[in-house]
Amino acid sequence: MLTEPASSSGGPGNRLAGRRILITGAASGIGAATARMFAREGAALSLLDVQADLLETVARDTGGTAIVVDLLDEAATVGAVHRAAEALDGLDGVVNVAGLADNRPLEDLTSATWHRVIGVNLTAPFLICREALPYLRQAPAATIVTVASGAGLLPQGPGVSAYAASKAGVIMLMKAYARELAPTIRANAIAPGIVDTPMVAEILGGYATLDEAPFVQQYALKRVARPDELASACLFLTSEESSFVTGTVLAVDGGRTFH
């Protein structure tokens, strides 16, 4: 006998009504766009980031709770998850957006840089999900979404070994969680191509717009993504519209051909 998923969501503007969501990396870029979109869809939010001023702005815009935390600090990260859950009286979902890229040739890649990239991109989502688990298990239709990268499917060039390894790890982590936590918790990953965010602009500076960069020719749509386009993917995988989707990696990459 088939049963409807337990959720109070409805049409656009109400797809996350009543849901309590923790979002990391919420101060800017994809995370901020996701927070604003989720708020418009009725979610109650706890927002985590290390950038205090920007995070406060997003929290004001969304009615969310701002929790400033360095995701490289394990004790602080663990505490932040429980503060987030307490602020919302539980959790129905987690969206791991926070990420770090530090691209350099292998001969210049120090152990410190390696551990920093792996720490933010892979260890932090593991810690966030582990600590959120008791709350998610009490929710009727809990979800985990983690932003990986197209680089985790296939590295886009030299100098990305730490970043690509961390994002490939994220993809497998979500697949493992999908098997382990089913049927009550769904876990999925998103693999963006290049997105017009402050982090990307810092790494790929020198162009008037990112759409002018030569690598854009690898994309069928011949442009980079907007943060809200990735937020829409996070919304889909958090809402009941994706109620039969778990363990997948959704490439939101404008048709990046080498996938």
Side-chain angles (χ1 to χ4, degrees), residues 50 100 127 216:
V50 72
L100 173 67
L127 291 171
V216 173

Side-chain angles (χ1 to χ4, degrees), residues 17-242:
R19 288 179 63 86
R20 302 156 296 176
I21 310 294
L22 181 161
I23 303 175
T24 73
S28 64
I30 298 169
T34 299
R36 291 186 169 100
M37 185 174 290
F38 278 32
R40 291 195 298 271
E41 293 292 340
L45 304 174
S46 280
L47 308 174
L48 277 60
D49 205 292
V50 72
Q51 303 176 86
D53 291 345
L54 291 175
L55 186 63
E56 287 292 346
T57 298
V58 178
R60 285 196 301 270
D61 291 347
T62 62
T65 297
I67 300 174
V68 179
V69 60
D70 181 353
L71 294 179
L72 289 170
D73 183 331
E74 179 171 343
T77 299
V78 168
V81 175
H82 295 286
R83 287 172 58 196
E86 289 167 7
L88 299 175
D89 194 25
L91 292 172
D92 297 285
V94 168
V95 183
N96 294 299
V97 182
L100 173 67
D102 192 330
N103 299 343
R104 59 187 71 199
L106 180 57
E107 60 268 25
D108 298 329
L109 181 60
T110 65
S111 295
T113 297
W114 171 271
H115 287 298
R116 185 166 171 258
V117 173
I118 296 294
V120 172
N121 293 354
L122 181 56
T123 303
F126 150 68
L127 291 171
I128 296 280
C129 293
R130 186 190 69 186
E131 297 304 312
L133 190 56
Y135 307 103
L136 296 176
R137 281 185 164 146
Q138 296 178 36
T143 55
I144 298 169
V145 178
T146 302
V147 176
S149 170
L153 297 171
L154 188 66
Q156 69 270 40
V160 297
S161 55
Y163 184 74
S166 70
K167 293 301 188 177
V170 160
I171 290 169
M172 286 300 109
L173 188 68
M174 291 302 101
K175 289 179 178 290
Y177 284 177
R179 292 296 300 269
E180 182 173 351
L181 304 180
T184 57
I185 301 172
R186 298 189 294 110
N188 293 287
I190 293 171
I194 297 295
V195 185
D196 191 356
T197 66
M199 182 182 78
V200 172
E202 181 178 348
I203 294 169
L204 300 173
Y207 302 102
T209 68
L210 289 176
D211 286 340
E212 295 178 0
F215 60 78
V216 173
Q217 296 308 307
Q218 297 177 2
Y219 293 73
L221 298 184
K222 306 302 182 190
R223 65 175 178 84
V224 300
R226 302 185 309 271
D228 65 283
E229 291 176 306
L230 276 299
S232 292
C234 292
L235 174 60
F236 169 68
L237 291 173
T238 300
S239 75
E240 73 170 37
E241 293 171 2
S242 61

